[in-house]
Amino acid sequence: MPNQLPHLILPIDQIRSLPFTSKKGGGGDKRIPSRNRQEHADKLKIELTNIQNNHSRTELFSIKFSGQPNMDLLCEEFDKKGYKMELLSTKKVGDEIIANVRIDANKTFDKLIKAFDNYVNPPLRGGNQVKNPSPYIASIEHINEISLKDLFTDDDSLFPNDDSKHWWEIWITNKDENALNCFKQIARQNSIIFNEHPLIFQDRTVFLVNATNLELTSFVSKCYLIAEVRIAKKLKSFVINASPEEQQKFLDDLREKIQYASESNNTRIVVLDGNIIKRHPLLDNALIRNQQALTVFSLDNQNEHATEMASLSLFGDIQEACKKQRIEIHHKVEGVQVFDVEHDDSDLYGIITERALQITSDNEQSAYIMPITETMSDKYKGKPSSWSAYLDNIVFNNKKLFAVSVGNINDIYPKSEYNNIQENSCIESPAQAWNVISVGSYTNLCNADLCSAEGAIPYANSGELSPYSRTSCMFSSSWPIKPDILLEGGNKVIHRDQYVYQHDSFELVACAKNFNEQLFTTISATSASTGISGSFIGELMATYPSFWPETIRGLLVHSAEWSQAMWDKLGYDKSKTTISNFSRMFGYGIPDLEKAKYSVASALTLIAQKDNFQVFMPKTDDVSSKAKIDNLSSILFIKLPWPKETLQGTLSNQRIKLTITLSYFIEPNPSERGYISKYAYQSHNLRFDLQRPTETLKQFESRVNNLIKDAENSNSTSSTGGYNWVLGPNSRTRGSVHKDILELTGAELAQAENIAVYSVAGWWKKAKLASDTFSRFSLIVSIDAGETDINLYNEIKNQIQIPVLLRNGL
């Protein structure tokens, strides 16, 4: 790229906060059955009394409330401290919603009976009888005892129906001070095998338990702490065995071209895989160390690919690296073995991942790549698993960057089923985590001449999704757009008899672990793409050592674009709905490392890193008051340093591409209590909006204030702000990295000189005091004026006067 320039830092003093508050606005209309109140209350009383007769007055236990088919159940109303009721989990069974609720027999029954009586004979309000009293009671169809299957919140197809022992995830409510010890005591009394190192979240703790269905059913009836049950997943690995030719020549050529990072360089990519990185001749100078997350893992595990991952994270595809005149490496690698297929461990993968981070925490400038997923985990369809949620927790608490494979399609399918299979092959756990970079695969390895002698053709065309890569097409609309980025993952070929198979020529080349027998091997699929992501991340971290992980992630997404082949699949339909659906296949596209690293004179990038952002503000001046839960949203206004004279003059009619990316980390709440609410998993949600050319600043401030109310109304849609965004505000706001693209004239851009960043609902808003709701974010803004002699970079730099310092003093 000519005239490589460092990105520009937008000064924090140009960010100002206004004390706006979102107005009260009701949620969307709920579908509540019309009831004969007397008959309905009598029926519920009978069901409740039947349950009461089976329990003593001193018991704590769980019951379930069921809704009417195709109607809403007001689950949040079952979380009532005054009734001694705690909402444990929710699930949908067919067309019915059920809520599992822990109750206190000494108080809850009497409170509910009284509530049913008030439902029949509601109190007067303002001299008039309430017309629709206690709609949550009307939403209840039945009240029943709870069963193991009621608490099972995984896909029902994963529920084991045999009599053998299985590993289960038991999610307990930890609001009680002694919940963990109490759970362990009850488990031991019932001879239940459990792990000693649970995952601990804000209001849930997750244990692994080994039991049969019958044993677990009995245990559920005795342990009042159990909020939900899931099946424990096993790791899934991707094994590649192949050998390229002329390996010694490759090695000799590469040795002459490579310049490794200096001794003092601390930028590292940590490979988390099923074995250790071998000291291959090309890796030895860049390999810091190998460690094991658990010492029980076998070092003699030849079936995994940590060595290949390290190779890709340093050099990329070695076949491509050989074409370069010089190869400069600006980061190093280290390895942590995080699983062993021969070792049946009883630790949850979240704990093992956290252990890997702990033993590498002596180096601050580290990022992590993980090319492994769980089996059966495509059934989540975007919902958090214990691993993905804990990974979100790890990233949020430690501010570290993770890149995770989205998983592979390993089976062979006819070409005619290509699109259908990928649309229905859901991303695997833990790649649905919000805070990570989820890496999928595309391919440019499509040279038909390489396999024509065999009578074969490439399976996917150049620029298309790799036939290995999974998608998030099966995710519900409330879950993030995944994958975040696509990198080269190789291709397959179709033989003349229509047989589909893998081919060495359509795979990437990496250092081989058994280098005494062969120096190089081939590798493909999303493991290979995840390895390459390490080289991108390492380059960006070394170039901008002061940038946060949120910013590095944001730059990768910000620089990504769909290939022409991807756009071609849309055809003439460029509607927001179609583009949103296609983003579930292609994510944000293929990142461009040069664009992520550098600005140029007519295409520049501004970076704003905002720390200590108080996401929610207190309702009262008494910050210590416990009564002010349900806080008010915050808004920041950021003035953009546009050269207005140039934009309104020479470039007034020039089409300019504006790209905005907002990146931040959320604190997860993975319990199955709130997935009916789209804001229950994430601690907070940030949004951005751009001032309209015809809008005064005061009008913009007022409009953004109204957007908060609209965003929190589940039946509303967000305004486009008068702009024709590529994704639009209804699609770009999913997950915790938001990107959108806009084309406008120079004159229009000159007037669009303010960006708002604002918060909307999340579980922090109701569960935390405002004084605890501090976060940070990275805002990335780029303008590209195309072919022009005007140096926009210098004009903007002169206004802000704070360019970021790059490596080598650029």
Side-chain angles (χ1 to χ4, degrees):
M1 178 182 284
N3 303 318
Q4 294 174 338
L5 300 165
H7 297 322
L8 297 169
I9 293 295
L10 192 62
I12 296 300
D13 60 13
Q14 291 189 241
I15 300 178
R16 66 190 183 96
S17 176
L18 289 184
F20 273 79
T21 59
S22 59
K23 299 174 183 176
K24 282 286 183 182
D29 294 334
K30 297 290 185 179
R31 297 167 299 172
I32 306 299
S34 178
R35 304 284 194 183
N36 178 304
R37 292 207 298 270
Q38 184 67 63
E39 291 179 2
H40 186 56
D42 289 344
K43 182 189 78 167
L44 295 182
K45 282 182 182 179
I46 292 171
E47 293 178 346
L48 200 62
T49 302
N50 290 337
I51 296 171
Q52 187 175 16
N53 291 337
N54 295 329
H55 295 272
S56 72
R57 293 287 292 184
T58 60
E59 274 191 82
L60 294 172
F61 62 97
S62 300
I63 60 176
K64 71 172 180 179
F65 296 87
S66 304
Q68 193 178 96
N70 297 309
M71 289 288 179
D72 288 308
L73 181 66
L74 302 185
C75 301
E76 63 277 5
E77 295 294 332
F78 303 126
D79 214 32
K80 291 179 178 286
K81 288 184 179 179
Y83 284 46
K84 289 295 180 74
M85 293 165 57
E86 181 185 347
L87 178 63
L88 299 175
S89 54
T90 62
K91 65 181 292 186
K92 195 168 185 181
V93 181
D95 296 324
E96 294 181 13
I97 297 170
I98 69 167
N100 301 311
V101 180
R102 185 177 77 166
I103 66 170
D104 183 340
N106 187 43
K107 192 165 189 177
T108 307
F109 289 119
D110 293 341
K111 286 283 188 178
L112 283 174
I113 293 295
K114 186 175 181 180
F116 295 157
D117 289 339
N118 289 337
Y119 169 70
V120 175
N121 298 298
L124 299 178
R125 185 178 298 165
N128 298 314
Q129 196 172 55
V130 177
K131 289 186 177 181
N132 296 304
S134 304
Y136 80 94
I137 295 176
S139 77
I140 302 169
E141 184 69 14
H142 293 292
I143 308 174
N144 299 104
E145 297 265 13
I146 211 162
S147 71
L148 174 60
K149 276 204 167 182
D150 293 325
L151 291 170
F152 190 76
T153 55
D154 265 338
D155 189 286
D156 285 341
S157 66
L158 299 181
F159 189 87
N161 293 308
D162 54 40
D163 297 326
S164 58
K165 284 184 178 288
H166 297 276
W167 282 103
W168 308 78
E169 291 180 9
I170 306 299
W171 294 60
I172 70 167
T173 174
N174 58 10
K175 288 185 177 179
D176 298 342
E177 188 174 337
N178 296 315
L180 272 68
N181 290 333
C182 186
F183 173 86
K184 292 178 180 180
Q185 182 180 352
I186 298 172
R188 291 187 181 108
Q189 289 171 351
N190 289 273
S191 301
I192 294 292
I193 300 170
F194 62 91
N195 72 314
E196 293 286 349
H197 306 288
L199 304 181
I200 300 175
F201 295 100
Q202 180 78 13
D203 65 347
R204 291 290 182 268
T205 296
V206 186
F207 283 92
L208 274 181
V209 161
N210 191 239
T212 65
N213 287 10
L214 191 61
E215 290 170 337
L216 196 59
T217 297
S218 174
F219 183 51
V220 163
S221 68
K222 297 171 183 176
C223 185
Y224 62 89
L225 294 163
I226 298 176
E228 57 182 290
V229 175
R230 305 183 189 182
I231 197 71
K233 317 305 184 298
K234 293 184 178 180
L235 284 181
K236 183 175 185 177
S237 60
F238 313 122
V239 182
I240 301 100
N241 296 301
S243 301
E245 300 177 354
E246 300 181 301
Q247 295 190 0
Q248 189 59 50
K249 184 178 184 302
F250 271 179
L251 181 67
D252 293 340
D253 288 347
L254 283 168
R255 272 179 165 163
E256 293 178 6
K257 297 176 179 181
I258 297 173
Q259 179 182 326
Y260 292 94
S262 66
E263 284 288 327
S264 61
N265 188 306
N266 291 321
T267 304
R268 295 180 198 171
I269 297 299
V270 183
V271 178
L272 307 182
D273 210 326
N275 56 5
I276 63 171
I277 302 169
K278 296 298 180 67
R279 289 195 173 275
H280 186 283
L282 290 182
L283 302 181
D284 198 29
N285 288 336
L287 178 57
I288 300 297
R289 62 186 171 188
N290 282 297
Q291 299 185 84
Q292 292 179 297
L294 297 179
T295 55
V296 294
F297 291 155
S298 169
L299 288 171
D300 188 28
N301 184 2
Q302 293 299 311
N303 292 328
E304 304 309 322
H305 43 34
T307 303
E308 292 91 324
M309 292 296 103
S311 170
L312 291 168
S313 69
L314 287 169
F315 311 114
D317 182 1
I318 285 180
Q319 194 163 244
E320 291 299 310
C322 275
K323 300 174 183 178
K324 298 179 181 177
Q325 295 296 316
R326 185 175 182 79
I327 303 169
E328 292 186 22
I329 307 299
H330 300 112
H331 57 280
K332 300 175 184 178
V333 294
E334 63 177 300
V336 180
Q337 186 179 4
V338 293
F339 78 98
D340 178 0
V341 290
E342 301 300 324
H343 177 67
D344 186 17
D345 64 87
S346 60
D347 282 306
L348 286 156
Y349 301 126
I351 289 290
I352 296 175
T353 308
E354 186 174 49
R355 173 63 181 157
L357 186 140
Q358 289 170 347
I359 62 178
T360 56
S361 62
D362 57 322
N363 185 66
E364 293 184 3
Q365 197 69 357
S366 293
Y368 299 78
I369 62 170
M370 194 161 62
I372 49 180
T373 61
E374 292 178 301
T375 60
M376 304 182 290
S377 60
D378 59 332
K379 301 289 186 181
Y380 284 114
K381 297 180 181 178
K383 287 167 46 176
S385 65
S386 64
W387 194 9
S388 75
Y390 206 67
L391 196 49
D392 274 335
N393 208 49
I394 289 170
V395 173
F396 177 81
N397 288 322
N398 296 278
K399 302 299 184 283
K400 292 290 186 180
L401 188 58
F402 278 75
V404 182
S405 160
V406 300
N408 289 343
I409 300 171
N410 291 312
D411 295 331
I412 300 295
Y413 297 97
K415 173 70 173 178
S416 58
E417 297 181 26
Y418 176 53
N419 287 339
N420 184 54
I421 291 299
Q422 292 195 297
E423 288 176 9
N424 291 282
S425 296
C426 206
I427 283 169
E428 295 179 320
S429 174
Q432 74 269 46
W434 289 42
N435 293 336
V436 306
I437 298 174
S438 303
V439 185
S441 300
Y442 84 107
T443 188
N444 276 328
L445 297 177
C446 302
N447 188 340
D449 294 337
L450 295 175
C451 56
S452 59
E454 302 172 22
I457 60 172
Y459 193 97
N461 297 319
S462 182
E464 290 185 344
L465 207 60
S466 167
Y468 295 100
S469 196
R470 290 175 172 268
T471 71
S472 64
C473 295
M474 301 293 288
F475 283 18
S476 74
S477 61
S478 58
W479 299 120
I481 294 172
K482 296 287 182 176
D484 292 294
I485 58 172
L486 301 171
L487 290 164
E488 181 62 69
N491 205 348
K492 296 178 183 177
V493 298
I494 308 172
H495 198 264
R496 54 175 162 251
D497 61 5
Q498 298 305 300
Y499 176 71
V500 177
Y501 59 99
Q502 293 177 226
H503 194 290
D504 288 354
S505 299
F506 291 153
E507 299 189 345
L508 293 79
V509 178
C511 296
K513 52 184 165 285
N514 55 334
F515 57 87
N516 290 324
E517 299 173 17
Q518 58 177 45
L519 286 167
F520 300 98
T521 185
T522 57
I523 181 169
S524 60
T526 58
S527 296
S529 302
T530 307
I532 291 178
S533 76
S535 67
F536 277 51
I537 294 167
E539 270 293 301
L540 284 172
M541 289 174 63
T543 303
Y544 296 101
S546 65
F547 279 2
W548 298 339
E550 296 96 322
T551 309
I552 300 298
R553 175 181 70 154
L555 282 169
L556 282 173
V557 169
H558 191 78
S559 71
E561 293 184 356
W562 288 2
S563 67
Q564 188 57 51
M566 295 170 190
W567 280 109
D568 287 346
K569 284 187 176 293
L570 270 72
Y572 293 106
D573 185 1
K574 300 294 192 298
S575 68
K576 297 291 180 286
T577 299
T578 303
I579 289 175
S580 178
N581 292 338
F582 270 73
S583 70
R584 294 281 181 197
M585 291 196 74
F586 308 132
Y588 293 99
I590 306 160
D592 184 322
L593 183 57
E594 289 299 301
K595 286 184 178 179
K597 284 171 66 176
Y598 302 118
S599 294
V600 295
S602 62
L604 59 102
T605 297
L606 293 159
I607 311 285
Q609 294 187 143
K610 172 61 176 172
D611 202 358
N612 296 317
F613 174 42
Q614 188 168 6
V615 177
F616 298 115
M617 304 293 289
K619 274 188 176 179
T620 70
D621 294 332
D622 180 11
V623 177
S624 63
S625 171
K626 296 281 186 183
K628 64 169 181 48
I629 296 298
D630 193 5
N631 304 294
L632 301 171
S633 297
S634 296
I635 311 173
L636 292 177
F637 289 92
I638 303 167
K639 186 173 175 60
L640 298 167
W642 298 146
K644 297 184 73 169
E645 186 175 332
T646 300
L647 291 173
Q648 292 174 329
T650 313
L651 297 179
S652 62
N653 295 316
Q654 175 80 21
R655 300 302 295 178
I656 295 176
K657 178 181 175 183
L658 174 70
T659 306
I660 302 174
T661 301
L662 179 66
S663 178
Y664 58 100
F665 293 151
I666 56 97
E667 183 180 9
N669 175 26
S671 61
E672 272 281 11
R673 298 199 307 157
Y675 297 156
I676 291 173
S677 164
K678 64 181 179 181
Y679 295 127
Y681 177 73
Q682 58 273 39
S683 52
H684 61 291
N685 296 263
L686 299 185
R687 303 283 186 265
F688 70 79
D689 206 277
L690 183 67
Q691 183 180 4
R692 297 172 182 170
T694 58
E695 198 170 41
T696 67
L697 180 56
K698 184 168 284 190
Q699 288 171 331
F700 179 42
E701 291 167 353
S702 178
R703 180 168 62 83
V704 170
N705 193 55
N706 289 328
L707 285 175
I708 296 173
K709 179 188 68 176
D710 293 341
E712 294 179 357
N713 181 341
S714 60
N715 283 348
S716 73
T717 56
S718 299
S719 165
T720 62
Y723 290 120
N724 185 27
W725 295 98
V726 170
L727 273 170
N730 294 316
S731 295
R732 70 175 180 234
T733 54
R734 296 161 187 165
S736 62
V737 59
H738 312 310
K739 172 188 173 180
D740 216 339
I741 302 167
L742 179 66
E743 268 204 10
L744 65 176
T745 66
E748 291 169 333
L749 180 63
Q751 297 302 314
E753 58 181 338
N754 285 282
I755 290 179
V757 175
Y758 58 95
S759 59
V760 297
W763 66 261
W764 272 4
K765 189 165 187 177
K766 291 184 179 293
K768 278 197 171 190
L769 297 176
S771 56
D772 296 328
T773 63
F774 285 89
S775 184
R776 68 185 197 182
F777 65 81
S778 294
L779 182 70
I780 305 171
V781 181
S782 293
I783 56 171
D784 185 347
E787 296 294 327
T788 178
D789 294 330
I790 296 174
N791 194 323
L792 287 171
Y793 182 93
N794 278 347
E795 291 200 29
I796 291 176
K797 177 184 173 183
N798 290 336
Q799 291 200 52
I800 61 177
Q801 288 298 311
I802 308 181
V804 65
L805 293 179
L806 271 146
R807 182 189 66 240
N808 299 329
L810 284 175

